[in-house]
Amino acid sequence: MIANTLPANGRGLCALFGSALLTSTMLAGVPAFAQDTSQVRTLETVTVTAQKVGSEDVQKVPLSIQVLDSQDLTDLHATDFTTFARYLPSVSYTGGGQGSGGGPGLATISMRGITNGNDGNHSGPLPTVGVYLDEQPITTIGGTLDVPTYDIERVEALAGPQGTLYGASSEAGTIRIITNKPDTSAFAAGYDVMADAVQHGGIGYTLDGFVNLPITDNAAIRIVAWDEHDAGYIDNVHGTRTYPTTGVTIDNASAAKNDYNTVNKLGGRVELGINLDDDWTITPMLMGQLETSDGVFGYDPSVGVLKVQHYYPEYFKDHWYQAALTIQGKIGDFDVTYSGGFMDRHQQSSADYTDYTYWYDTLSGYYVTDNSGNPVDSSQYILGNDHFEKFSNELRIASPRQDRLRFVVGLFQERQTHDIVQDYKINALGSDFWVPGWPNTLWLTDQLRVDRDLAAFGEVSFDILPNLTATGGVRVFQADNSLKGFFGFSLNQDLAWGSATGMASCFAPADIATAPCTNLDKRVKETGETHKVNLTWQIDDQHMVYATYSTGFRPGGINRYGKLPPYQSDQLENYELGWKTSWAGDRVRWNGAVYWENWKDFQFAFLGINSLTQITNGGQAQVQGIESNVSWLVTDGFTLSAAGAFNNARLTSVYCGDLNPSTGLPDTSCTPPLTPNQAPKGQELPSTPRFKGNLIGRYDFQVQDFSAHLQAAAAFQTSSWPDLRNVRTLLGQMPGYTTIDLTGGIGRGNWSLELSIQNVFDARGQVYRYAECTTQVCGYEPYVIVTQPRTIGLTFGQKF
């Protein structure tokens, strides 16, 4: 059962409002359900904890929330973020930053179209969508943590600014992944074994298992483990490439391999639940995963469908763990919650960068030499080593929910460090041109970024009437961002190319042990607040409408190109009208929201000088949209659900793409010598389709003493662009696409067997398009990340 509070279909707001009116008219007069509802089944109640005041029925929460519960995730074979995001209509994502290859753990999330399409680089802006694992934030720059969904209780997607309760990086929304908790009442265990075959690819498998073990009457432990191998389907084909300036020819025979984008995951979770007494509980948790992906997940159309021609080893290792502690209890009538977390994430990667080399050689005559000045093979590859640490604490107090005047208030602290190493290597480079201490390194980024956040927040609700409630909220914050270290070439390379971005610009000895010197050391601080005002009318027990004004923010930060000024925070204003309704004895639910959002001074990241990421406050944008869902228990065994989101997201001011040299501020008039109209007023924001929706039908039935089910799920989205700027035409538009998944299964007693076909018609849905080199001196050689080809799987499971 899917409880997404968000539109079934539509090509525009008028059509959607018309269909909404028609739906309400039809639902108001369905005679088939005019019967004693105590004798028939109803849709299951879905509970959420989004408002931080305990568990609540989602139908009573005046927020636009999409929920996928444990059964939904299992039925849809939604094993990770990229698979369950297809069924969250307000959620979109891109495949990661420069040189990422688009693999797991690299997705950058957006909601309701609030994205510039280029976030995700290690020195880029913070995300616009916050991600939480239970009570603890796990949001990081550079990609969303790849959390498997096995033994997950539910996923909550909160659309719109959540700045009051969730703060920075929840500017456009928040995604919460809630784990199943230890249960002291009974022993439970289970496992699932799955094998699958990918069309045009290889064979994969998944082994999952859990044990819930009561230790005493007031304590239990829950242990979860998984081992997963995802088959590859991208071929690295054999070929050669000749650089026109030097005439050097390279050959990839040693790297060529079929189905080389495989993924391996090994991880687990241990969670302990202790009931100290009737009021206080302690829940420590440790979760971690070792994940390794090989190859890239985008193909090169110039080579062939699902094919690339790369010359150096490519991999991405993402090893992380999250240690968390949640304490819940009561002081008098007040609920008290403390949550603390420490996350450690270590990424190591290798990426082929020969496209960049080739296009710089072809269009600019770029090449490197040995110590004697002779041209050599200038092929580049990137070795990355990123280390994140995040430490967070939150303490909040909530008054009794039944009080006419009630509140939740709290304090929040977070500190995230990011050790950044990006090592651009050329094996034949002369040693005179190496960055000191780094053999064969042409360019080095070796920096430490620290993001700090302090906040106090609160929301107060007052029942004006028994069925009319007003809520006001505010969050005051202090954000602090620093970036220091080294970026650039060696001194000899700076002199050879007339550059001043490396050792030529150093002003102090190295603060970071592995850096040659320091040429960047900056810090910015800012304070501010976000707000929320809500009015909720509970018309009766089955129907509720609400109106909300809310704001969100994203802190500013430092440009790693030291001559550029810091970028400032951006803000989002949200005006929203929503409804939660049940019909026909709670056999039909129809929820939704319409909204208007103003995105002010949004941060735009792009590749500038020497392909350095630069961030400016790009301009203004606006989103008008509607999101809705319908769930219908047609018969006692047959359920239909539909959900969709329509977003009209556009610039409301011209984007010129650079700073005015006389003022150092963003140029909104595109005056010379700046490139005029890199994105005109009215340009559609990238990465988000105008419409995204899904339709799911499930039939559960009995065959003698076997339980059986059949399910069909279709996900659809319209076209979108990969970039904000006019140069996106060189990358190409991502066409709309539809995927269809089918499942069928049987079970008896404690076992089940299921056959699934994902992407039945083997659609090549384009998720993202990117290029290694996208500056003005580069040619555009786009790569296309597509939906996984048709995958047929067989799953056997048991529960005890």
Side-chain angles (χ1 to χ4, degrees), residues 46 62 77 182 188 437 475 506 527 531 545 575 609 611 624 711 772:
V46 177
H77 287 259
R475 187 185 190 98
C506 282
T527 59
H531 311 90
V545 294
Y575 303 86
I609 300 170
S611 287
Q624 298 99 33
Q711 178 171 292
E772 287 184 8

Side-chain angles (χ1 to χ4, degrees), residues 209-543:
F210 81 93
V211 175
N212 182 86
L213 181 65
I215 302 172
T216 65
D217 290 342
N218 64 344
I221 189 171
R222 194 176 190 95
I223 302 172
V224 185
W226 57 89
D227 181 4
E228 179 179 337
H229 171 74
D230 297 336
Y233 50 86
I234 302 288
D235 295 339
N236 188 19
V237 300
H238 177 251
T240 61
R241 172 175 262 175
T242 300
Y243 298 120
T245 300
T246 62
V248 172
T249 297
I250 56 176
D251 189 306
N252 75 338
S254 63
K257 183 180 180 181
N258 291 338
D259 308 328
Y260 89 136
N261 62 321
T262 56
V263 180
N264 291 285
K265 304 177 186 179
L266 182 65
R269 184 179 85 240
V270 179
E271 199 160 359
L272 179 65
I274 304 173
N275 300 321
L276 298 178
D277 54 30
D278 291 340
D279 292 331
W280 288 88
T281 63
I282 298 177
T283 311
M285 186 265 283
L286 180 65
M287 183 176 183
Q289 179 172 266
L290 307 176
E291 180 175 54
T292 301
S293 58
D294 292 316
V296 295
F297 289 74
Y299 72 86
D300 184 344
S302 68
V303 177
V305 176
L306 302 182
K307 299 180 186 298
V308 297
Q309 191 177 98
H310 285 183
Y311 295 82
Y312 287 92
E314 294 179 291
Y315 58 82
F316 181 75
K317 298 178 181 180
D318 191 3
H319 299 172
W320 58 267
Y321 70 87
Q322 165 91 353
L325 175 65
T326 302
I327 302 174
Q328 296 173 305
K330 283 185 174 291
I331 298 179
D333 291 333
F334 296 97
D335 293 323
V336 178
T337 301
Y338 165 78
S339 64
F342 175 77
M343 184 188 74
D344 185 284
R345 184 182 192 186
H346 195 181
Q347 299 174 336
Q348 292 180 306
S349 62
S350 177
D352 181 274
Y353 212 39
T354 54
D355 286 359
Y356 180 96
T357 309
Y358 175 80
W359 287 109
Y360 257 81
D361 182 291
T362 301
L363 300 177
S364 302
Y366 154 91
Y367 64 90
V368 299
T369 69
D370 59 20
N371 290 343
S372 299
N374 302 309
V376 296
D377 179 3
S378 301
S379 300
Q380 292 188 47
Y381 60 98
I382 308 171
L383 297 181
N385 193 338
D386 291 81
H387 185 204
F388 300 87
E389 290 186 349
K390 180 189 287 285
F391 183 70
S392 65
N393 293 279
E394 180 174 294
L395 177 66
R396 64 179 186 268
I397 300 174
S399 63
R401 281 183 282 172
Q402 67 271 19
D403 288 357
R404 185 179 184 186
L405 177 66
R406 52 197 178 275
F407 62 84
V408 55
V409 295
L411 300 172
F412 177 80
Q413 173 272 332
E414 179 181 272
R415 187 178 191 271
Q416 176 175 283
T417 62
H418 181 186
D419 290 300
I420 307 163
V421 174
Q422 295 286 302
D423 182 4
Y424 292 69
K425 286 190 173 295
I426 299 177
N427 288 339
L429 181 67
S431 59
D432 290 348
F433 302 100
W434 296 353
V435 174
W438 294 80
N440 305 115
T441 296
L442 174 70
W443 172 284
L444 176 69
T445 298
D446 192 355
Q447 298 172 341
L448 174 64
R449 173 172 178 162
V450 184
D451 292 278
R452 310 162 185 86
D453 185 20
L454 295 173
F457 61 90
E459 285 191 0
V460 178
S461 298
F462 178 70
D463 295 331
I464 303 171
L465 298 172
N467 64 342
L468 183 66
T469 301
T471 299
V474 65
R475 187 185 190 98
V476 294
F477 67 88
Q478 180 186 74
D480 184 346
N481 171 267
S482 62
L483 184 64
K484 67 178 180 179
F486 174 83
F487 68 98
F489 301 111
S490 67
L491 183 59
N492 285 339
Q493 196 67 62
D494 275 332
L495 295 174
W497 285 356
S499 172
T501 58
M503 294 189 67
S505 63
C506 282
F507 54 80
D511 277 339
I512 298 174
T514 52
C517 53
T518 298
N519 60 6
L520 176 65
D521 189 357
K522 289 189 175 183
R523 185 170 181 172
V524 293
K525 298 180 180 180
E526 61 182 315
T527 59
E529 68 277 334
T530 60
H531 311 90
K532 174 183 175 181
V533 179
N534 172 271
L535 188 65
T536 302
W537 179 23
Q538 190 72 50
I539 301 171
D540 55 39
D541 192 53
Q542 303 294 312
H543 305 88

Side-chain angles (χ1 to χ4, degrees), residues 134 143 165 245 324 437 448 512 524 553 560 574 600 646 692 740:
D134 289 325
L165 292 180
T245 300
L448 174 64
I512 298 174
V524 293
F553 75 97
R560 65 169 172 158
N574 174 59
K600 299 181 177 181
F646 173 90
K692 180 185 177 185
I740 295 176

Side-chain angles (χ1 to χ4, degrees), residues 722-738:
D723 199 295
L724 173 68
R725 300 162 296 173
N726 296 331
V727 293
R728 63 190 185 176
T729 57
L730 299 177
L731 283 173
Q733 190 176 35
M734 299 175 291
Y737 65 89
T738 301

Side-chain angles (χ1 to χ4, degrees), residues 523-782:
R523 185 170 181 172
V524 293
K525 298 180 180 180
E526 61 182 315
T527 59
E529 68 277 334
T530 60
H531 311 90
K532 174 183 175 181
V533 179
N534 172 271
L535 188 65
T536 302
W537 179 23
Q538 190 72 50
I539 301 171
D540 55 39
D541 192 53
Q542 303 294 312
H543 305 88
M544 178 254 282
V545 294
Y546 67 87
T548 298
Y549 166 75
S550 58
T551 63
F553 75 97
R554 179 170 53 161
I558 302 297
N559 271 293
R560 65 169 172 158
Y561 184 50
K563 294 182 179 180
L564 295 177
Y567 55 96
Q568 305 303 310
S569 61
D570 54 17
Q571 301 84 35
L572 185 67
E573 288 185 337
N574 174 59
Y575 303 86
E576 181 174 325
L577 296 173
W579 63 93
K580 303 284 184 75
T581 64
S582 299
W583 307 83
D586 203 22
R587 291 173 68 93
V588 179
R589 290 179 189 154
W590 178 41
N591 302 332
V594 295
Y595 45 87
W596 182 301
E597 297 187 339
N598 297 318
W599 197 15
K600 299 181 177 181
D601 303 321
F602 67 83
Q603 298 165 12
F604 183 75
F606 61 96
L607 295 182
I609 300 170
N610 298 119
S611 287
L612 279 173
T613 298
Q614 299 181 16
I615 306 105
T616 64
N617 291 90
Q620 319 302 318
Q622 196 173 85
V623 180
Q624 298 99 33
I626 180 171
E627 49 200 14
S628 179
N629 93 292
V630 175
S631 297
W632 180 15
L633 182 60
V634 182
T635 69
D636 284 354
F638 182 40
T639 304
L640 280 175
S641 62
F646 173 90
N647 287 290
N648 181 24
R650 297 187 177 275
L651 289 176
T652 56
S653 65
V654 66
Y655 172 68
C656 302
D658 214 330
L659 301 176
N660 187 310
S662 62
T663 65
L665 299 174
D667 193 308
T668 58
S669 59
C670 298
T671 55
L674 304 179
T675 303
N677 285 333
Q678 289 204 32
K681 180 179 179 180
Q683 184 103 301
E684 183 179 349
L685 296 186
S687 304
T688 300
R690 182 71 65 90
F691 175 75
K692 180 185 177 185
N694 62 77
L695 177 64
I696 302 170
R698 183 178 177 88
Y699 182 44
D700 292 280
F701 55 98
Q702 291 292 127
V703 180
Q704 295 182 353
D705 57 346
F706 291 90
S707 59
H709 67 268
L710 296 171
Q711 178 171 292
F716 168 78
Q717 66 181 54
T718 57
S719 62
S720 60
W721 290 95
D723 199 295
L724 173 68
R725 300 162 296 173
N726 296 331
V727 293
R728 63 190 185 176
T729 57
L730 299 177
L731 283 173
Q733 190 176 35
M734 299 175 291
Y737 65 89
T738 301
T739 59
I740 295 176
D741 302 336
L742 299 176
T743 57
I746 59 171
R748 184 171 65 178
N750 72 338
W751 65 267
S752 63
L753 181 67
E754 183 173 74
L755 175 68
S756 64
I757 308 177
Q758 308 293 301
N759 193 4
V760 173
F761 297 105
D762 202 22
R764 295 286 175 271
Q766 295 190 16
V767 177
Y768 191 52
R769 297 174 73 97
Y770 68 95
E772 287 184 8
C773 187
T774 57
T775 64
Q776 293 179 354
V777 296
C778 287
Y780 274 68
E781 184 174 352

